[in-house]
Amino acid sequence: MSEATGPVRRPGGRSARVQDAVESATMRLLLENGHSNLTIRAVAQAAGVAETTVYRRWPSVGHLIAAALLRLTATDNPIPDTGSVEDDLATLLSQIVALLTRPDVMRVVRSAAAIDDGGAFAATRAAFFDARFTASAAIVERAVARGQLPAGTDSHRLIETLVAPAYMRALLGSRGFDDDFVDSSVAATLHGFDGRTGPPRP
């Protein structure tokens, strides 16, 4: 008879469940109430875990918000791979516009932009955008490999050029998103980086 070995543990099983519960609870509370009433205690209670469990991985509310935003973008704004740089950029920007037109998401975005905690959250916010730019760089790298963009194209600047007008419109609220916004933004971006798509549309 073989010796009893006890239950088999899935690597990262409990840790993954805790992460899922905490990030889901954070996003739910953010979407419902914004960041002003968000506390680690409230997140812990909503996630069904101890406060100390949350503090060990997310030492501040800012860390929780950044983690929740990464989770939201991974779910609702995945990096496309259509085989065409134009279609990839259009899909990416369409997903961003869809998120930015949701009032609950905009509450979270405005909260993240407004938090001033002496610099701690600024680093977390920068890490969030760095992670998104790094993931989006795959679009540019694949386009270069296919010959759709020239070698040496700066992926960070290209994605920044593409998405900045959407965030400006959403945060300033001065202009909405018309039917032409995505197509004209993609055309202007590609025109600026490879010069082969014709003049940008107004």
Side-chain angles (χ1 to χ4, degrees), residues 22-47:
V22 170
E23 291 178 357
S24 295
T26 301
M27 181 52 65
R28 185 168 65 253
L29 293 174
L30 279 171
L31 294 178
E32 290 174 356
N33 306 311
H35 85 281
S36 57
N37 295 319
L38 189 72
T39 64
I40 288 182
R41 172 174 290 184
V43 170
Q45 290 176 344

